[in-house]
Amino acid sequence: MAAKPQKMPKVAKVKDKSPAEIQITSEQMLREAKERDLEIVPPPPKQKISDPEELQEYRLKKRKSFEDNIRKNRGNISNWLKYSKWEEEQGEIRRARSVYERALDVDHRSITLWLKYAEMEMRSRQVNHSRNVWDRAVTILPRANQFWYKYSYMEEMLRNIAGAREVFERWMAWEPDEQAWMTYIKFELRYKELDRARAIYERFVYVHPDPKNWIKYARFEENHGYINGARRVYERAIEFFGDENLEETLFIAFAKFEENQKEHDRTKTIYRYALDHMPKEKCLVLYNEYTKHEKKYGDKSSIDDVITSKRKFQYEEALKENSHDYDTWFDYIRMMEADGNVELTRGVYERAIACVPPIKGQAIGMCPKNKLFRGYIDLEIKLREFDRCRKLYEKWIEFDTENCKTWIQFSTLESMLNDIDRARGIYELAVSQQRLDMPEFLWKSYIDFETELEEWDRVRNLYERLLERTSHVKVWISYAKSQLSIPSPDASVCARSIFQRANKCLRGSSEKEQRLMLLEAWLGFEKEYGSSEYEEKVEALMPKKVTKRRQITTDDGTQTRWEEYIDYVFPDDQAAKPSLLLLAKAKQWAKQRQEEEEEIEEKQQEVEDENMEDLDKDDSDVEIGSTGSSSSSSDEEENEVKEEKSKSKRDRKRLKT
């Protein structure tokens, strides 16, 4: 019997293979599995040990595992700690101690290792072993404060106060930080040992000589009722720091201490001593505290003294910034005179007299500078010494002849003094100089000067002289506009003639933008002051904007890419006339072609109308031969029309190119 052919399993067909709208990433699947606790591995089964032999086998296996890990990575402290922790849990303290000793041979400067070792001994109530470990730890690492804290705390918990004190004394020999000293002091205070605490404070303030530590010492004495002792501590602190290193916090604390003891005279003395011996810039808070104290406990005279001292401080600060501020000196002196202290007032007078202002004349002779000349001239103008101002301007011009600003200021001074001839002479000297830094400003100032005086002939003369030196378009435009300011009926005619001169002058210039600017200004003038006839004439002179191409040449002479630029073609430009003629002929030819196209279209329309009429006729009235001839003639006409259309299209393309 033949075996039946095995059927292939059906493969599931996916009808829709497009991606789903919501895509799920592998990261999202793992996160959801974690959230749903799908990846939680069940804990390993607990091993139950029933006899000592099995226990020994288990311990041997674990120790071998720990030893292998240590052998692989001997410097990893965590392997040692896990090993010793396991031995401790097994109750094998000696083995755990042996593991710690072996680990210390590897890294004896590990703070964590020493701490775990000592804590293990303390948990096992091995006091002497704990002391031994702590003693070795603080000997090897005396700067590790954790060892000292735990060592002293262990001794205190064991009620071994003498031993804890000995640990603290060993620690203080290394002069640790402030917190360690305060811990020792608090330890003595817990057992009411005030004398010992005071002795520690005596050592502490010299090891860490900071004002806040002296203040802590004084408050310790004050809190325990030793008022005189606290006062002596403050006095010793002020004497210790001296006049050069005084701090306002120390004086404020001392003053508030005396204020709490109702010793207001002592408080005032402390504040005044501090204000007299400390730098003024370090006494801002001290002044405020002194003012508050006097407002609460002082009388009117004392309050006035505080205000006076504060104003004195402000005057001193202002004079430090500018010792030649004589207004401040006068206010300072008046305040001192009102205070009635003759000696102090005389000292302020002498200091003010010693601040002689710098002699600017000598400074100019030794080191002349524009800023120095300007300051000296301003001073002389305030003093109304105009002859000195003239001499200074002369010196300034000798020093810097090219400075147009100096010439203008000198002439402005003379015009303010109504000396017109001298001012005009200064301008004439200025414009005759060969080199100037800003000649355009100088000429403009000179022209404005004559314009204000309404000297129109001089204004024209100046413009003509300026045009001999430069033919800039702005000069021409300003010249033309200046004629409109003249009260004369021929002002517009003169202005127009200037525009015409300017146009002729700039016609041969290569700067076509300047000529365009001139024509635009001229056109604006004609729209406002001229007639439509002149306006049309000016518009006829306006150029046409043409886009051209040119090849860029580098510094080494090689020619690179092409670039487009804007050029202006003026109608009256001789070089542009051939191109304008060509443009005119091109426009005429285009117009002629357009007329021919219109005629062709009209003919085509007529032919179409005739064809329509032939179609409307009755078939019986038309013979076959005549029908064929008419159809052939119409075909010929259609072909002619098509040829005319194609020809016109070619002509249009040629015209565009």
Side-chain angles (χ1 to χ4, degrees), residues 398-581:
E398 290 178 3
F399 167 68
D400 190 3
T401 311
E402 300 177 4
N403 193 345
C404 293
K405 191 175 180 181
T406 307
W407 289 101
I408 295 171
Q409 291 174 356
F410 191 7
S411 181
T412 304
L413 174 65
E414 297 296 346
S415 61
M416 288 171 57
L417 299 175
N418 294 325
D419 198 340
I420 305 302
D421 294 335
R422 187 185 289 268
R424 186 175 289 120
I426 293 169
Y427 274 123
E428 287 293 335
L429 284 173
V431 298
S432 63
Q433 300 298 318
Q434 295 296 326
R435 296 184 61 182
L436 293 170
D437 55 357
M438 294 184 294
E440 62 276 8
F441 291 103
L442 181 62
W443 280 95
K444 184 179 181 302
S445 177
Y446 192 5
I447 292 170
D448 292 341
F449 167 74
E450 297 292 356
T451 303
E452 290 178 1
L453 298 176
E454 297 183 356
E455 295 287 345
W456 306 116
D457 294 334
R458 292 182 181 273
V459 172
R460 290 193 192 95
N461 186 21
L462 286 175
Y463 272 115
E464 294 294 339
R465 290 166 58 188
L466 181 57
L467 289 171
E468 292 176 359
R469 300 192 179 194
T470 178
S471 59
H472 198 275
V473 64
K474 291 184 178 180
V475 179
W476 285 107
I477 295 173
S478 177
Y479 188 11
K481 290 181 178 180
S482 67
Q483 299 302 310
L484 298 174
S485 303
I486 301 175
S488 173
D490 299 333
S492 60
V493 177
C494 294
R496 185 178 294 111
S497 64
I498 293 171
F499 276 118
Q500 292 173 353
R501 286 176 56 197
N503 187 32
K504 291 179 182 179
C505 180
L506 296 176
R507 183 176 298 170
S509 175
S510 60
E511 298 292 335
K512 296 183 179 181
E513 289 82 1
Q514 291 192 12
R515 190 179 177 192
L516 177 61
M517 189 186 304
L518 175 70
L519 291 175
E520 289 175 351
W522 190 2
L523 183 60
F525 161 76
E526 295 295 349
K527 287 181 179 179
E528 186 174 358
Y529 300 101
S531 60
S532 59
E533 179 183 358
Y534 286 107
E535 185 177 347
E536 292 176 357
K537 290 181 179 180
V538 177
E539 287 179 351
L541 296 174
M542 297 297 288
K544 296 186 181 300
K545 200 176 197 180
V546 180
T547 303
K548 295 184 179 180
R549 296 175 72 242
R550 61 187 173 192
Q551 196 169 10
I552 299 175
T553 305
T554 58
D555 296 336
D556 56 357
T558 58
Q559 293 183 345
T560 58
R561 59 186 178 84
W562 290 80
E563 68 172 0
E564 291 185 353
Y565 69 98
I566 303 299
D567 194 12
Y568 298 97
V569 180
F570 293 89
D572 56 351
D573 194 350
Q574 295 295 331
K577 282 185 178 180
S579 60
L580 292 176
L581 182 60

Side-chain angles (χ1 to χ4, degrees), residues 1-200:
M1 185 176 178
K4 293 182 179 180
Q6 189 175 1
K7 293 183 178 180
M8 296 296 293
K10 292 183 178 180
V11 180
K13 294 183 179 181
V14 180
K15 296 181 179 180
D16 188 4
K17 295 184 179 181
S18 61
E21 295 181 358
I22 302 175
Q23 297 292 318
I24 301 176
T25 61
S26 59
E27 182 182 358
Q28 186 176 356
M29 295 172 65
L30 293 173
R31 185 171 62 251
E32 290 179 357
K34 182 67 176 177
E35 292 175 355
R36 297 177 185 178
D37 295 335
L38 299 178
E39 297 293 331
I40 296 178
V41 180
K46 294 183 179 180
Q47 183 179 2
K48 293 183 180 180
I49 300 174
S50 57
D51 56 356
E53 292 181 359
E54 189 176 359
L55 177 62
Q56 291 298 328
E57 184 180 356
Y58 165 73
R59 288 178 175 176
L60 181 62
K61 183 178 179 181
K62 291 291 290 184
R63 289 190 180 106
K64 186 176 183 301
S65 175
F66 283 123
E67 292 291 344
D68 290 341
N69 291 334
I70 291 172
R71 196 179 299 110
K72 291 177 183 177
N73 192 355
R74 187 177 179 83
N76 191 356
I77 301 299
S78 62
N79 292 336
W80 294 99
L81 294 177
K82 291 176 184 177
Y83 192 6
S84 60
K85 181 68 175 177
W86 182 81
E87 293 289 359
E88 183 183 359
E89 290 174 353
Q90 298 299 318
E92 297 289 343
I93 304 301
R94 290 185 178 179
R95 288 182 176 274
R97 189 178 294 125
S98 175
V99 172
Y100 275 119
E101 292 293 338
R102 289 169 59 195
L104 289 174
D105 290 338
V106 175
D107 187 5
H108 66 280
R109 303 190 66 83
S110 175
I111 296 176
T112 304
L113 197 58
W114 284 106
L115 290 174
K116 296 292 184 181
Y117 189 8
E119 289 172 359
M120 187 270 292
E121 297 289 1
M122 292 169 65
R123 283 194 298 270
S124 303
R125 300 183 181 278
Q126 301 292 328
V127 178
N128 290 329
H129 282 286
S130 300
R131 286 194 180 110
N132 184 23
V133 173
W134 288 125
D135 190 70
R136 290 165 59 195
V138 298
T139 303
I140 295 173
L141 300 172
R143 295 295 180 185
N145 292 336
Q146 300 178 37
F147 298 159
W148 295 105
Y149 281 122
K150 289 184 177 291
Y151 192 7
S152 60
Y153 180 73
M154 184 192 75
E155 295 293 350
E156 188 175 0
M157 290 297 100
L158 294 173
R159 300 297 178 183
N160 186 9
I161 307 303
R165 186 175 290 116
E166 184 181 356
V167 172
F168 274 116
E169 287 295 330
R170 289 175 59 189
W171 189 9
M172 296 305 113
W174 290 95
E175 297 183 356
D177 57 5
E178 299 175 4
Q179 186 60 37
W181 289 91
M182 297 305 300
T183 304
Y184 190 13
I185 292 169
K186 291 177 182 178
F187 165 77
E188 296 293 353
L189 291 177
R190 282 197 293 270
Y191 299 100
K192 310 300 181 183
E193 296 288 346
L194 297 180
D195 293 336
R196 291 181 180 274
R198 185 178 291 109
I200 297 169

Side-chain angles (χ1 to χ4, degrees), residues 130 145 219 227 249 299 388:
S130 300
N145 292 336
R219 287 177 179 172
I227 305 302
T249 55
D299 52 6
R388 291 180 177 271

